[in-house]
Amino acid sequence: MISLTCDTIDTSRVLDSVQDNRAGAIVLFLGTTRSITGDRGTDSLDYECYESMAVKQLEQLEQKARKQWDVIEINIVHRLGHLLPSETSVAIAVSSAHRITAFECGQWLIDTLKEDVPIWKKENWSDGTHEWVHPGMEDS
């Protein structure tokens, strides 16, 4: 499952969506807005994307992950719009029979999403300046 939303991500719903009685492991990754990046204070983030391309690339990521790992369910939700510190910007849930599979797949999904999917982040710094961060251009 893939979705982009301007609403707060319901992490319980994301987790529930991958529940399955065949699963021995479920991994939930949450990317959250931090208030400090390096030595700079962050007031907020703004996420934008080219929606049809982002959805297509997220669907391709899901398909690749399913070919590479024996997973049961995958759900990727990315938030768009204005986020304050501590809000969730991305949620990735993976269920599988075994924990190592779920962990590896989840890590690959977030790492690849940040590199390949056309979702841009604007860091709004506490000093009143801002900076756009493009896919693959940030370190964390």
Side-chain angles (χ1 to χ4, degrees):
M1 292 174 268
I2 302 299
S3 60
L4 300 173
T5 184
C6 291
D7 299 323
T8 299
I9 295 173
D10 183 342
T11 56
S12 294
R13 191 172 184 183
V14 173
L15 188 59
D16 289 345
S17 72
V18 300
Q19 294 279 348
D20 188 287
N21 63 7
R22 297 170 294 159
I26 296 175
V27 169
L28 175 64
F29 169 81
L30 301 176
T32 57
T33 305
R34 54 186 175 247
S35 61
I36 296 177
T37 302
D39 60 352
R40 298 181 81 179
T42 301
D43 279 348
S44 62
L45 300 177
D46 292 296
Y47 285 94
E48 293 183 7
C49 73
Y50 179 34
E51 196 163 333
S52 62
M53 183 181 288
V55 168
K56 182 178 179 179
Q57 288 189 345
L58 287 168
E59 288 170 346
Q60 289 172 352
L61 282 182
E62 180 182 4
Q63 290 169 8
K64 287 179 185 177
R66 288 182 180 280
K67 287 179 183 176
Q68 188 167 345
W69 288 278
D70 185 17
V71 298
I72 297 167
E73 293 292 343
I74 294 173
N75 190 354
I76 303 170
V77 181
H78 203 298
R79 180 132 174 235
L80 302 174
H82 190 74
L83 283 78
L84 298 174
S86 79
E87 290 189 280
T88 300
S89 56
V90 62
I92 297 174
V94 178
S95 61
S96 66
H98 303 286
R99 68 183 176 272
I100 193 75
T101 301
F103 276 113
E104 287 178 356
C105 180
Q107 182 169 358
W108 180 84
L109 284 166
I110 188 59
D111 290 347
T112 308
L113 181 156
K114 290 175 71 86
E115 289 288 323
D116 295 348
V117 179
I119 297 174
W120 297 275
K121 175 174 74 174
K122 182 171 76 168
E123 295 255 10
N124 299 303
W125 305 109
S126 57
D127 65 6
T129 62
H130 66 268
E131 178 180 1
W132 282 98
V133 180
H134 298 279
M137 298 298 290
E138 60 181 287
D139 63 346
S140 59

